[in-house]
Amino acid sequence: QVQLAESGGGLVQAGGSLRVSCVASGRTFNTYAVGWFRQAPGKEREFVAGISGSYKSTDYADSVKGRFTISINNAGKLVYLQMNSLKPEDTAVYYCAAQRALYTIGRTANEYNYWGQGTQVTVSS
């Protein structure tokens, strides 16, 4: 069982930056692909960014490419999502998710076995 917890959400003005973090309780993310998803009110959960279990590959949704960066710390225990040039349409609950995968990065929610509780990100105009 992998327990995930997000932190770092909050309120920021459009054009600002925010970093959210995801920690796996009691373990590293070694061999687990990690994805960040978001869900706005009335909308489906959507893929934002992911990093492979080998830590060598990343993937981004077109809507955030060039603005968001996913990374993992040296100890392999924290996955970050750095969000720059934030827009009001980035407002959502952000979730991290994990699945046992070394080289692939899933883009759909049902590919992931483990989920955090989410952290709210609100971007004001």
Side-chain angles (χ1 to χ4, degrees):
Q1 190 75 7
V2 179
Q3 293 182 319
L4 305 177
E6 305 92 341
S7 62
L11 174 64
V12 64
Q13 287 189 331
S17 298
L18 207 59
R19 188 178 77 169
V20 290
S21 304
C22 176
V23 63
S25 177
R27 61 161 299 122
T28 71
F29 284 108
N30 186 36
T31 74
Y32 283 82
V34 179
W36 281 99
F37 288 76
R38 66 187 181 187
Q39 188 165 19
K43 294 190 175 181
E44 292 189 354
R45 193 168 297 192
E46 64 174 356
F47 173 79
V48 176
I51 186 165
S52 65
S54 64
Y55 308 160
K56 293 180 179 179
S57 299
T58 57
D59 189 21
Y60 297 92
D62 288 343
S63 59
V64 306
K65 202 170 291 184
R67 300 188 298 123
F68 290 11
T69 303
I70 189 170
S71 62
I72 190 163
N73 74 337
N74 288 338
K77 293 184 176 182
L78 278 167
V79 173
Y80 303 107
L81 183 68
Q82 177 66 43
M83 303 181 288
N84 298 330
S85 302
L86 282 161
K87 305 175 182 179
E89 51 262 44
D90 293 318
T91 296
V93 177
Y94 282 71
Y95 299 89
C96 69
Q99 62 160 328
R100 201 74 181 263
L102 200 56
Y103 300 113
T104 58
I105 302 170
R107 281 180 156 242
T108 59
N110 60 11
E111 295 180 77
Y112 290 83
N113 306 110
Y114 307 104
W115 290 84
Q117 293 299 307
T119 185
Q120 177 70 47
V121 171
T122 302
V123 184
S124 63
S125 56

